[in-house]
Every structure is written in structure tokens, then in C-alpha cells.
Amino acid sequence: DNLVKSLDDLRDKNVLGIDKKENVHRIEIENEHTAGVPMVFVRRGTDWHMTAPLDQRPSQNDAKGLVSGLQYLRAADFVSAPTAEEKASLAKPTLSVTMTINGKQQVLQLGNERDSKVLAHLKGTELYFNVSSWSKNKFNKKPEEFRNKVVLELNVQDIQSMSLMHSDQTVALERIAGETSKWKMTAPEARTAANGLQDGTVNGIANTIKQLTVKSFTDKSSAQANL
């Protein structure tokens, strides 16, 4: 069994040949949610920026997930002689991904789904193959799904002071100058680690602020949300 292999067994199933994520510089996606206005993502340094249909810094995890989806896209099997019906399904693809890899543009077209497989074609070539529906779903997303969910993009060391406003008091905290993890309380009374302030707890608050992420967005006004 190890010696007797068919042609498909020996073919490289990483069909896009992306060696490094850094080689992907631009991604354009048209799917059932884009309504003729493709989503466009452009690499700027180490980060990704969405330029259409919204001009925004998207969720970096979600944008980088697209890159991973391309790098590790694998053919489930190859289609050596697609039928006329199969080719017709790709004439108006259900999903199209245009990517720029090392300055070269490639277009991946996906057709109809059948038996949890989706017919794919690398435009301009005779390469036809099937991918899993799971692979397709990585790119079949709405533009709003890429909204940045990080509340405050900062390094925890950038936080120099915090005011924790409760119903009956305000706790004011400041980072001690020249220290990376030590704090002082200035209200409602003066305290440091020397007289009972727990630096570990204060650092935990700062880390929580840095790690705050949006679970879901709402259209409610401040008044409607009791804010």
C-alpha cells in the first residue's frame, strides 16, 4: 500500500503553494453577503486593514484567519475532467477569492456544494479540485463579522492611571514612576504595597482592561442600554 500510489495520491494538495503567511499582501472576497461590493483586505506591515466596503482596522485575528485559510487550503481530491455542468457552476461562482501572493495575483473560484464538497477552480488554469464545505465557510462571511472586537488596543504598560467609579466611592490608582508592576492608591485614601495595597490585584485590573473584547455589537442608544 505504501508503494502503490495513484497520481492523485502523489499530487501536492496544498494547491495555492503559499509557503509563508507574510507572502500574502492582499485579499479580495466576493460572496453571497457582499452584494457586488467585495471585501478588500490589505497588509500594512504586520497588520491588516479593510479598505472596502468599510474603511476600518478589522479584527486582526479574523483577518489573519483568512490568510491561514488560504495557506492551508487543501484539495480533498482533484477533478481531471469537469463536466459542462460543473464548469457552468463556476461561470458565476458562489464565492471568489482574489489574492496577491508575492506580487502575483491568483483567483480562486468556488462553485456549488454537493455532498459536503465544493468544486473549486484556479482561474486561468486547468486546475479543478474539490474542497470541504468547511474550507468554503472560512471565506463566506459578512463584512460586519470582521469588525474589530478589541475594545482598547494598547500595551498594558501604557496604562498609567485608573479611576474605578463605584456608586459610593471612586478608587484612583496611579502607576509608580519607573516601576513596571507597582501602584499607589491616591483615593479614597493613600496606599501603596507598604501599607496594604495589593499590586497583583491592580495589575489584574490593568490586564483585564487590555484584554477586553466585544462579545456582540448592539444598535441600542446609551439611554436604551442604561448607560
Side-chain angles (χ1 to χ4, degrees), residues 22 40 84 127 185 193 206:
E22 293 76 18
V40 179
L127 182 60
M185 179 189 291

Side-chain angles (χ1 to χ4, degrees), residues 192-203:
T192 65
N195 60 343
L197 181 65
Q198 296 186 40
D199 285 325
T201 301
V202 182
N203 285 317

Side-chain angles (χ1 to χ4, degrees), residues 166-186:
H166 302 272
S167 58
D168 57 345
Q169 68 176 0
T170 296
V171 177
L173 300 158
E174 294 180 10
R175 192 184 296 276
I176 296 176
E179 299 287 349
T180 58
S181 59
K182 293 185 178 181
W183 297 80
K184 62 182 178 180
M185 179 189 291
T186 58

Side-chain angles (χ1 to χ4, degrees), residues 107-183:
V107 181
L108 176 68
Q109 298 173 312
L110 302 181
N112 296 326
E113 182 177 336
R114 181 179 295 175
D115 299 328
S116 298
K117 288 184 179 181
V118 181
L119 181 64
H121 175 225
L122 206 55
K123 189 175 180 180
T125 74
E126 291 301 313
L127 182 60
Y128 293 86
F129 53 96
N130 286 310
V131 298
S132 66
S133 55
W134 178 80
S135 294
K136 175 186 176 180
N137 291 337
K138 277 181 168 286
F139 305 97
N140 196 29
K141 293 183 176 182
K142 301 176 182 178
E144 53 265 31
E145 291 184 66
F146 290 95
R147 286 184 66 178
N148 192 0
K149 299 176 181 68
V150 178
V151 177
L152 296 170
E153 297 212 44
L154 44 74
N155 295 316
V156 71
Q157 294 300 319
D158 294 336
I159 303 174
Q160 296 299 312
S161 64
M162 300 181 287
S163 293
L164 313 178
M165 292 179 285
H166 302 272
S167 58
D168 57 345
Q169 68 176 0
T170 296
V171 177
L173 300 158
E174 294 180 10
R175 192 184 296 276
I176 296 176
E179 299 287 349
T180 58
S181 59
K182 293 185 178 181
W183 297 80

Side-chain angles (χ1 to χ4, degrees), residues 86-93 109:
E86 288 174 329
K87 286 187 175 181
S89 76
L90 291 166
K92 292 184 177 180
Q109 298 173 312

Side-chain angles (χ1 to χ4, degrees), residues 48-81:
W48 283 87
H49 195 84
M50 176 185 270
T51 60
L54 301 171
D55 189 358
Q56 64 172 357
R57 186 174 191 272
S59 164
Q60 294 301 297
N61 285 339
D62 291 334
K64 290 174 182 178
L66 295 176
V67 181
S68 294
L70 293 172
Q71 183 181 18
Y72 299 112
L73 183 78
R74 288 180 60 83
D77 53 65
F78 294 93
V79 180
S80 57

